Amino acid sequence: MAEILPLRDAIARTVGDGDTVALEGFTHLIPYAAGHEIIRQRRTGLHLIRMTPDILYDQMIGMGCAARLTFSWGGNPGVGSLHRLRDAVENGWPGPLEIEEHSHAAMANAYDAGAANLPFAVFRGYVGADLPKVNPNIRYVDCPYTGERLATVPAIRPDVAVIHALRADREGNVLLEGIVGVQKQAVLAAKRSVVTVEEIVDELEDGSPNRVILPSWTITAIAEVPGGAHPSYAHGYYPRDNAFYIAWDPIARDRDRFRAWMDANVMTKGPEDFARHPRRHRVGEDA
Amino acid sequence: MSHTATEMMTIAAARALRSDHVCFVGIGAPSAACNLARLTHAPGITLIYESGTIATRPDVLPLSIGDGELCDTALVTVDVPEMFRYWLQGGRISVGFLGGAQIDRFANLNTTVVGPYATPKVRLPGGGGAPEIASGCGEIFIIMTQSRRSFVERLDFVTSMGHGEGGDHRARLGLRTKGPTRVVTDLCVMEPDPATKELTVTSIHPGVTREAITEATGWPIRFAAEIAETPPPTATELAVLRDLHERTRRAHSSSA
């Protein structure tokens, strides 16, 4: 059964130095508040996994949390590069970052295999591409029925998956809807999981019959953090803060400016500071 | 009405799309072209973004492939493993619309690194969905601003395969899809030669010279025997595109 905890305790009990951690979210429902808590607790040596590392991973890498990154697209969507990620890869600042690179199809399949308790994923991929030349974890099998040569990648099995969702009930069952990415697969593939939610409610009554539900017994810890996905978004609660993504670019370009921003907005803040975002940006209301 | 080279590029790219296309949309320039097509001559087009949104009809261009606008206006939204397994790998998408940082004469694309992989000069975002979009969609359209930096003799890294080393390379690797059939730039339209698959200029945008195209290409670019002049943008195309960009600019600048 999931334990409902303050975010500080949820992270302290589940994420250790050197762990393999997947903070997932495909543009929507990115767990910013949880990521900031990991930064504040000064975790180091993490092997971060994510299909689309964006600003949150830029922040975690720039603050020295990560030793390794497994990913398939690392950028600030629609804006450009992740400058902290680039600085780590190109110049080893603030420390060297080992990367393992895949395509989206490979990672989606690898999460699916992890959730299904399979050792690897098989798919039709990487044809004619150079990634298999630089990533020894991309291998091939011949189909035992047709002889077709198919790509394989190892299943993703993180120590910890961290996601943000819309609601949980008091039993710890979690609901998410909208663009749901690979969050269900990430939680089911992981040994432990932390889910931050917009709100905890008596009953998960709203939503379509095909909404994604993670039952309480698949989750380790839940923390209520309203606004916890900002500047990403929570469907039906608040929209994506695209202007923030644009504004991040000059902040991240400069090491000193980045550190100053992190001190002011992360290191000296707490999860409760996210609560102003849904109030300010509630869907259907003027900002 | 006067227009910019980028507007001509977007409009020429949009014209390649039809109402019956099922199109996997890359972010940025492809997204603008695909939505322009939907808002003008191809209202029935099915636009799919890799975030899982199928048959989406955004009012403004999304900044990312997963803006809420895409989900709000989609026929259905599926999870990302389903998107890549059932829809792309399943062969249900007729056109993939891609951009890139570098392209070569056989329309292979690089969005991974400039310089050596282990010690890159510039670390780019990486492939994302592109490696399998390039092999799994029925055909590929590419939209890119043309310059010697981007249209290069040799790619630093093949993120996604176009026609490989040319000729029947795709077929030899077991691919049955067509690969890149059209590259639209701010100067011209190129199509692969039917036999060699080398990109060949088939249409030149108004006011652009052959010399300008040669100068902006990092290999000795070939011109087709018969070359068309790209029809200039119509007043409607320009008005719809400018409206779309203006709505988008307003939407993305308001925030905390």
Side-chain angles (χ1 to χ4, degrees):
Chain A
M1 294 295 283
E3 212 175 334
I4 297 175
L5 295 167
L7 182 61
R8 286 180 185 86
D9 300 340
I11 294 298
R13 287 194 206 173
T14 51
V15 183
D17 288 344
D19 277 354
T20 298
V21 186
L23 295 97
E24 272 296 349
F26 206 89
T27 308
H28 180 215
L29 293 175
I30 295 167
Y32 273 89
H36 286 183
E37 189 58 37
I38 293 172
I39 295 170
R40 277 193 294 272
Q41 295 191 16
R42 301 270 184 200
R43 290 291 175 277
T44 58
L46 300 179
H47 173 188
L48 295 178
I49 300 181
R50 186 154 154 219
M51 290 187 66
T52 53
D54 75 340
I55 291 176
L56 178 58
Y57 273 27
D58 215 27
Q59 294 170 344
M60 295 178 75
I61 291 164
M63 293 300 282
C65 297
R68 189 155 184 225
L69 174 68
T70 298
F71 74 110
S72 43
W73 192 90
N76 185 348
V79 179
S81 288
L82 293 177
H83 300 289
R84 295 299 96 226
L85 168 59
R86 272 184 61 174
D87 204 9
V89 172
E90 294 169 13
N91 309 308
W93 191 93
L97 183 73
E98 199 185 325
I99 60 170
E100 176 171 343
E101 187 166 2
H102 287 281
S103 66
H104 279 350
M107 287 196 69
N109 278 286
Y111 271 119
D112 178 81
N117 196 22
L118 285 168
F120 70 94
V122 61
F123 66 112
R124 202 174 272 129
Y126 290 124
V127 180
D130 278 348
L131 266 180
K133 295 178 187 167
V134 296
N135 183 346
N137 264 334
I138 299 167
R139 300 181 195 173
Y140 294 88
V141 291
D142 294 331
C143 169
Y145 304 101
T146 64
E148 182 180 357
R149 188 169 181 258
L150 295 162
T152 70
V153 289
I156 293 174
R157 306 302 298 264
D159 294 311
V160 194
V162 181
I163 67 166
H164 187 77
L166 299 181
R167 292 184 283 287
D169 65 20
R170 293 184 199 287
E171 308 296 312
N173 301 299
V174 160
L175 174 148
L176 57 152
E177 291 181 296
I179 290 173
V180 293
V182 288
Q183 286 97 308
K184 176 166 83 174
Q185 290 80 4
V187 167
L188 296 181
K191 298 187 186 90
R192 303 182 294 279
S193 57
V194 177
V195 183
T196 53
V197 294
E198 284 298 317
E199 56 180 333
I200 292 175
V201 296
D202 291 331
E203 301 260 347
L204 296 178
E205 52 197 12
D206 298 320
S208 80
N210 290 330
R211 62 204 171 160
V212 172
I213 298 282
L214 286 161
S216 180
W217 42 272
T218 64
I219 297 166
T220 310
I222 291 172
E224 187 177 35
V225 186
H230 179 270
S232 165
Y233 67 106
H235 205 95
Y237 287 83
Y238 47 98
R240 189 173 192 267
D241 189 348
N242 281 325
F244 182 91
Y245 280 82
I246 294 168
W248 177 252
D249 190 82
I251 296 168
R253 275 178 192 272
D254 181 82
R255 289 174 183 174
D256 293 334
R257 193 170 167 196
F258 163 74
R259 279 281 169 87
W261 192 94
M262 292 299 291
D263 281 343
N265 295 285
V266 178
M267 302 313 287
T268 55
K269 302 277 182 175
E272 59 282 355
D273 289 296
F274 280 82
R276 64 197 171 92
H277 298 297
R279 274 208 300 276
R280 202 182 280 180
H281 295 300
R282 183 74 72 173
V283 171
E285 290 176 15
D286 292 334
Chain B
M1 206 184 310
S2 70
H3 60 270
T4 67
T6 303
E7 286 172 335
M8 183 72 257
M9 171 170 75
T10 308
I11 289 165
R15 289 174 185 159
L17 293 164
R18 301 191 312 258
S19 242
D20 63 345
H21 276 141
V22 178
C23 180
F24 208 106
V25 185
I27 205 65
S31 185
C34 292
N35 281 288
L36 176 62
R38 180 177 63 80
L39 295 169
T40 53
H41 66 278
I45 191 168
T46 299
L47 300 185
I48 296 182
Y49 287 71
E50 65 195 10
S51 56
T53 51
I54 297 178
T56 180
R57 310 175 65 80
D59 187 48
V60 300
L61 294 174
L63 185 67
S64 79
I65 38 76
D67 280 22
E69 173 89 0
L70 294 173
C71 181
D72 285 336
T73 58
L75 177 65
V76 63
T77 299
V78 301
D79 68 27
V80 169
E82 178 177 327
M83 175 51 63
F84 282 94
R85 290 165 68 84
Y86 302 172
W87 300 91
L88 180 58
Q89 184 177 261
R92 295 183 168 84
I93 300 177
S94 55
V95 176
F97 217 122
L98 296 173
Q102 289 183 333
I103 187 170
D104 69 12
R105 72 178 71 200
F106 295 114
N108 303 297
L109 291 173
N110 174 19
T111 58
T112 304
V113 286
V114 177
Y117 184 79
T119 52
K121 217 182 309 172
V122 182
R123 176 64 233 194
L124 300 164
E132 284 76 29
I133 293 172
S135 57
C137 295
E139 64 185 310
I140 300 298
F141 297 157
I142 295 167
I143 177 169
M144 276 176 68
T145 303
Q146 196 165 347
S147 75
R148 274 182 185 257
R149 279 181 64 206
S150 52
F151 282 63
V152 297
E153 178 72 44
R154 179 168 290 276
L155 295 184
D156 289 314
F157 193 90
V158 179
T159 304
S160 51
M161 186 191 182
H163 294 287
E165 292 159 10
D168 64 348
H169 195 186
R170 286 179 69 86
R172 278 189 280 123
L173 293 179
L175 295 175
R176 288 176 207 86
T177 51
K178 288 184 192 158
T181 54
R182 181 180 297 248
V183 176
V184 180
T185 80
D186 50 338
L187 303 178
C188 63
V189 177
M190 303 175 193
E191 293 171 71
D193 177 272
T196 66
K197 303 297 183 193
E198 180 171 339
L199 289 176
T200 306
V201 176
T202 55
S203 181
I204 298 180
H205 298 340
V208 175
T209 62
R210 289 186 180 221
E211 292 68 39
I213 294 170
T214 303
E215 220 148 86
T217 313
W219 67 84
I221 182 78
R222 296 183 37 179
F223 292 84
E226 285 190 24
I227 296 185
E229 179 174 311
T230 312
T234 67
T236 306
E237 286 169 331
L238 268 182
V240 172
L241 179 61
R242 287 174 184 175
D243 273 359
L244 181 62
H245 278 309
E246 177 52 26
R247 285 201 299 276
T248 301
R249 193 194 57 73
R250 255 185 283 127
H252 293 171
S253 62
S254 64
S255 135

